[in-house]
Each structure stands twice: as structure tokens, then as C-alpha cells.
Amino acid sequence: MSDAPLRPEVSGDPAFPQNPAAARPAGSMARPTVEFMMAHPAHFIAMGLGSGLGRIAPGTVGTLWAWLSYLLLQQWFTPQQIGLLIAGSLPLGWWACTVTARHMRVADPGNLVWDEIVAFWLVLWLVMPTGFWGQCIAFALFRFFDAVKPQPVKWADRLFKGFGWRGGWGIMFDDLVAAFCTLLVIALWRHFMG
């Protein structure tokens, strides 16, 4: 599928800018709308099927959506099938985030939450089965690493910046590192306390 907009670009239209080269020039989109999200399949995916449209803490809302959707996925799919879904969601998210960031003219928009969704799916996939409190701890750890960005998440967040495929991968990459850090803490906790 082409990453070109579904409708012709119009000068001054923040939904489909003509020159996405600058990080946040005049006319860039501060907060996407439902119309923008529905205008292109990449927008819909990158914004977590709508979970990223919130004004407050879209990353947290996207992570909560990931948690709920994972619990539903477990009802119909085996762990192996969920693993394949996660593996397929990585390149899909890379594409969707690349296209959506370019259309928004923002290098790493906070409303793009597919990165949180896939990364938290990965966390849950590797820590399950665990009870509600174990899932809460996984959620809290992941949100800490994703929002506060201690090292090495800070390093990962700065590694791939800009527009195009490099920037799209960067949007995904720091959340994967946050997932790795979450899993490492949980593994150490289980090793020393179990």
C-alpha cells in the first residue's frame, strides 16, 4: 500500500502537508482529529484504533487499550498465534507511524500509540500467565520506563529521529526498549524473590 494520502494535498491542510521536512513548522497538527484518523489506514493504526486521540496521557490510554485487547485476544488465540500477531504488528506499526508522523509534520507525535500497544502486548505475552496484580506491576513498570525514559530508554528515544523510515522506526524502538527494561525488572524480581 502506498503511503501517499488518499486525497490530494492542499496547501495549508495540516492533515496532509506538502513539505514534512521540518519537525513542527507552522501549520503542523498539534492534536489530530477523528477526521484525520479516518482519512488514511496508517493514521487509524498508528493512533491505536482511536485510543490515541485523547487529550490527556494518550500513551497511558494506549497502554490500557493494549492491556484490555490482549486479555480479549487470549480468549480466541493461542500464545503462538498472539506471538505471530505481535511480530506482524511491528512492521505494520513502523509503516503506520512513519506515514502518520509525516502527515502530521511532527517527528514523534504523542498521539501515535501503536508503539505502546505492540510493546505492551510483548510484555504481557512474555509474563503471562500472571494474575491481576502481576499485570498491574507490568503496566506500572512499562509506563514508568516509557514516560520517564531512564537509560537506556532515553538513548533509544534519541537514536532514530526525523521523518521517513528512520523516524518511524524510532517511534517504535524506544517503546521496545522500555518493554525490554520492564521484562528485565520482572525477570530479576522473579529470580531473586521466587
Side-chain angles (χ1 to χ4, degrees):
M1 178 177 284
S2 169
D3 64 356
L6 295 179
R7 61 187 172 124
E9 293 179 344
V10 178
S11 179
D13 182 355
F16 298 103
Q18 291 181 350
N19 179 15
R24 186 121 181 208
S28 64
M29 180 174 289
R31 189 178 319 122
T33 62
V34 173
E35 178 187 21
F36 174 82
M37 181 184 72
M38 299 305 290
H40 194 289
H43 304 173
F44 185 67
I45 294 164
M47 291 182 197
L49 316 181
S51 63
L53 284 176
R55 294 179 180 205
I56 300 171
T60 300
V61 174
T63 307
L64 285 169
W65 188 94
W67 187 1
L68 176 62
S69 62
Y70 189 90
L71 295 177
L72 292 174
L73 287 170
Q74 281 190 308
Q75 303 302 312
W76 295 292
F77 299 106
T78 66
Q80 294 79 14
Q81 291 170 325
I82 294 173
L84 290 173
L85 175 67
I86 293 168
S89 295
L90 286 168
L92 179 68
W94 185 1
W95 165 78
C97 290
T98 300
V99 171
T100 307
R102 181 170 54 85
H103 289 175
M104 290 179 70
R105 298 176 72 174
V106 179
D108 191 354
N111 296 94
L112 273 58
V113 297
W114 192 252
D115 49 339
E116 279 92 359
I117 291 169
V118 175
F120 196 61
W121 278 351
L122 181 63
V123 169
L124 291 174
W125 184 61
L126 291 171
V127 301
M128 294 297 231
T130 189
F132 175 74
W133 291 112
Q135 294 170 45
C136 284
I137 290 168
F139 175 85
L141 284 169
F142 177 74
R143 289 310 305 145
F144 168 77
F145 284 113
D146 185 38
V148 176
K149 299 194 187 310
Q151 295 293 358
V153 182
K154 181 187 255 182
W155 162 82
D157 185 52
R158 295 178 176 172
L159 189 59
F160 302 103
K161 285 294 185 187
F163 291 96
W165 293 105
R166 179 180 174 85
W169 175 245
I171 292 170
M172 300 290 294
F173 184 63
D174 68 304
D175 291 270
L176 294 173
V177 174
F180 169 78
C181 293
T182 300
L183 291 166
L184 180 62
V185 169
I186 291 170
L188 290 172
W189 175 265
R190 287 178 172 175
H191 176 74
F192 289 110
M193 303 306 279

